[in-house]
Amino acid sequence: MNELKFLNRLVASLEKFPGVGKKTATRFAFHIVEKFSEEDVKAFIDALVSTKDKVKHCQTCHVLTEQDECEICQSPVRDHSQIMVVKDTKDVLSIEKSKQYNGLYHVLSGLISPLEGIGPDDINLDSLAKRAEDPVVKEIIIATSFTPAGETTALYIDKIVSRQGLSVTKIGYGLPAGGDIEYADELTLRRALEARKKI
Amino acid sequence: MNELKFLNRLVASLEKFPGVGKKTATRFAFHIVEKFSEEDVKAFIDALVSTKDKVKHCQTCHVLTEQDECEICQSPVRDHSQIMVVKDTKDVLSIEKSKQYNGLYHVLSGLISPLEGIGPDDINLDSLAKRAEDPVVKEIIIATSFTPAGETTALYIDKIVSRQGLSVTKIGYGLPAGGDIEYADELTLRRALEARKKI
């Protein structure tokens, strides 16, 4: 019964999804074969191609966007004196959903983690240091997770962005230890924002 | 931040996967954008297209196959006197993996379930009744799950396939109540097969 070579190739691709093993990938593949209409498959492929083609990182804050510079960075109604530093785009989406923040963002695309071989040069820190030099910016809010990597990154950022008139704060109260921003509910995020303090 | 229209289309497609909600679909979509290489995406799309194109139901037993008739139905070394009736192709894969069975299969593609509006005409029962008329067939082994739908289907099959010289059995011992064949381990499947009994 090793005859399903096309299906097995589909399973192999689906196994590359995060947290998906052979069993789940097989379930997905069967679902695609038996339940997806021709139009479903066509829409899926179109979305894959155009997403890979159009989605890129904002040239300013590195969030995923379909323009050269994202809507948030371009927005005149956002508070350009605040920059919140987060690990990735998912964190931006979570914070935007909570509607508790009206400043700008800076997406690191990772956290400093010597154990995983990720150093300061591997994440978007240079561009953050440059943005922090702009006198318009009054506050850098560090919203990395309460993990060793998140704490290390926060301390590093505090070192590289300090200048007269710029306060560096860190969201604090509310975010559970070891917790990822992505999974925090709105109330937790509001508390964490309200209770931010100087590093 | 509703600007990611291509990404959102990809999320919408991924949400059609079984057991995948918006959060998981979003995670998958970000993973594809950030971790899939051009080749990964190309291989994925190729696999999607060719799977949809080549994978179909065996004309005899209805298992998913990439030929007109599956390898099992065509095999001269399999025991053509036994037909095991299962709900879907995943069940066939599980039983094949257990290496405890050498007969043929019949895939119903569903179970009779009045509550879900699935009647006897909606699953592959006509073709089973026809196959059962062949005097080569000596035993029909019903391997539907221990659920109301599985039991109803088993009783219905017993009614439509009975003839002189044909025994209709049902796998029994070992399969936990409410359990799906797909999740049964090899030992459980062996016990269930050994302890099959006449309905």
Side-chain angles (χ1 to χ4, degrees):
Chain A
M1 186 77 190
N2 278 324
E3 66 189 284
L4 294 164
K5 79 171 190 281
F6 294 108
L7 192 95
N8 286 337
R9 274 168 44 193
L10 181 58
V11 170
S13 276
L14 291 164
E15 269 187 274
K16 289 183 202 266
F17 285 14
V20 174
K22 191 160 191 93
K23 202 137 201 173
T24 307
T26 306
R27 174 177 286 262
F28 287 172
F30 279 117
H31 189 86
I32 290 170
V33 171
E34 300 201 307
K35 309 281 161 132
F36 271 37
S37 66
E38 290 294 322
E39 289 74 48
D40 286 340
V41 174
K42 207 175 158 303
F44 188 23
I45 291 174
D46 278 356
L48 272 169
V49 172
S50 52
T51 299
K52 260 321 230 196
D53 209 38
K54 309 276 187 189
V55 179
K56 52 198 163 189
H57 293 276
C58 167
Q59 61 191 22
T60 307
C61 76
H62 311 290
V63 77
L64 289 179
T65 177
E66 290 166 10
Q67 302 162 45
D68 288 333
E69 192 174 45
C70 77
E71 252 173 28
I72 295 172
C73 285
Q74 286 186 56
S75 167
V77 299
R78 307 281 303 208
D79 182 349
H80 284 239
S81 76
Q82 290 184 315
I83 295 177
M84 184 184 286
V85 183
V86 296
K87 184 184 159 203
D88 56 31
T89 297
K90 277 175 283 194
D91 294 338
V92 174
L93 294 179
S94 295
I95 289 162
E96 284 299 285
K97 222 175 122 199
S98 83
K99 297 192 169 66
Q100 303 297 330
Y101 178 68
N102 195 42
L104 306 182
Y105 292 95
H106 191 85
V107 174
L108 296 173
S109 299
L111 297 172
I112 298 171
S113 172
L115 283 175
E116 294 172 63
I118 304 171
D121 295 338
D122 299 319
I123 61 175
N124 301 318
L125 286 169
D126 280 353
S127 52
L128 175 63
K130 259 184 219 105
R131 290 179 75 190
E133 284 167 14
D134 183 344
V136 169
V137 179
K138 301 292 178 214
E139 184 178 7
I140 302 279
I141 304 168
I142 302 173
T144 51
S145 56
F146 273 7
T147 56
E151 296 288 291
T152 307
T153 308
L155 289 170
Y156 192 92
I157 291 169
D158 186 46
K159 246 181 16 194
I160 62 165
V161 300
S162 70
R163 69 161 161 81
Q164 199 67 26
L166 178 76
S167 71
V168 181
T169 60
K170 190 164 171 316
I171 60 166
Y173 187 93
L175 201 61
D180 257 323
I181 298 226
E182 192 189 343
Y183 299 111
D185 57 287
E186 291 177 21
L187 183 65
T188 307
L189 282 171
R190 183 164 67 204
R191 289 235 181 98
L193 266 166
E194 283 167 354
R196 65 183 185 265
K197 60 186 200 314
K198 287 205 175 217
I199 289 194
Chain B
M1 187 75 191
N2 278 325
E3 66 188 282
L4 294 165
K5 79 171 187 286
F6 293 108
L7 193 95
N8 286 338
R9 274 170 41 194
L10 182 57
V11 170
S13 276
L14 291 164
E15 268 186 276
K16 289 183 202 266
F17 285 13
V20 173
K22 195 166 187 88
K23 202 139 202 171
T24 307
T26 305
R27 173 177 285 262
F28 287 171
F30 278 119
H31 188 87
I32 290 170
V33 170
E34 301 200 309
K35 308 281 159 127
F36 270 37
S37 66
E38 290 294 322
E39 288 74 48
D40 287 340
V41 174
K42 208 176 156 300
F44 189 22
I45 291 173
D46 278 355
L48 272 169
V49 172
S50 52
T51 298
K52 260 319 228 196
D53 210 36
K54 309 276 186 189
V55 179
K56 52 198 162 187
H57 293 276
C58 168
Q59 61 191 21
T60 306
C61 75
H62 311 289
V63 76
L64 289 177
T65 177
E66 290 166 11
Q67 302 161 45
D68 290 331
E69 191 175 46
C70 76
E71 253 173 30
I72 295 172
C73 285
Q74 287 186 54
S75 167
V77 299
R78 308 278 307 204
D79 183 350
H80 285 239
S81 75
Q82 290 184 315
I83 295 177
M84 184 185 285
V85 182
V86 296
K87 185 183 158 202
D88 56 31
T89 298
K90 278 175 281 194
D91 295 338
V92 174
L93 294 179
S94 297
I95 290 164
E96 284 299 285
K97 222 174 121 198
S98 82
K99 296 193 172 65
Q100 303 297 330
Y101 178 67
N102 195 41
L104 306 182
Y105 292 95
H106 190 85
V107 174
L108 296 173
S109 298
L111 296 173
I112 298 171
S113 171
L115 282 175
E116 294 173 63
I118 304 171
D121 295 339
D122 300 318
I123 61 176
N124 300 317
L125 286 170
D126 280 352
S127 52
L128 175 63
K130 258 186 221 104
R131 290 179 75 190
E133 283 167 16
D134 184 344
V136 168
V137 179
K138 302 293 179 212
E139 184 177 6
I140 302 278
I141 304 168
I142 303 174
T144 52
S145 56
F146 273 7
T147 56
E151 295 288 291
T152 306
T153 308
L155 287 171
Y156 191 90
I157 291 169
D158 186 45
K159 246 183 12 195
I160 61 165
V161 299
S162 71
R163 70 159 162 83
Q164 198 68 26
L166 178 76
S167 70
V168 180
T169 59
K170 190 165 173 311
I171 58 165
Y173 187 94
L175 202 62
D180 257 323
I181 296 226
E182 193 188 343
Y183 298 112
D185 57 286
E186 291 176 21
L187 183 65
T188 307
L189 282 170
R190 183 164 65 204
R191 289 236 179 97
L193 268 166
E194 283 168 355
R196 67 184 184 264
K197 59 182 200 317
K198 287 205 173 215
I199 288 193

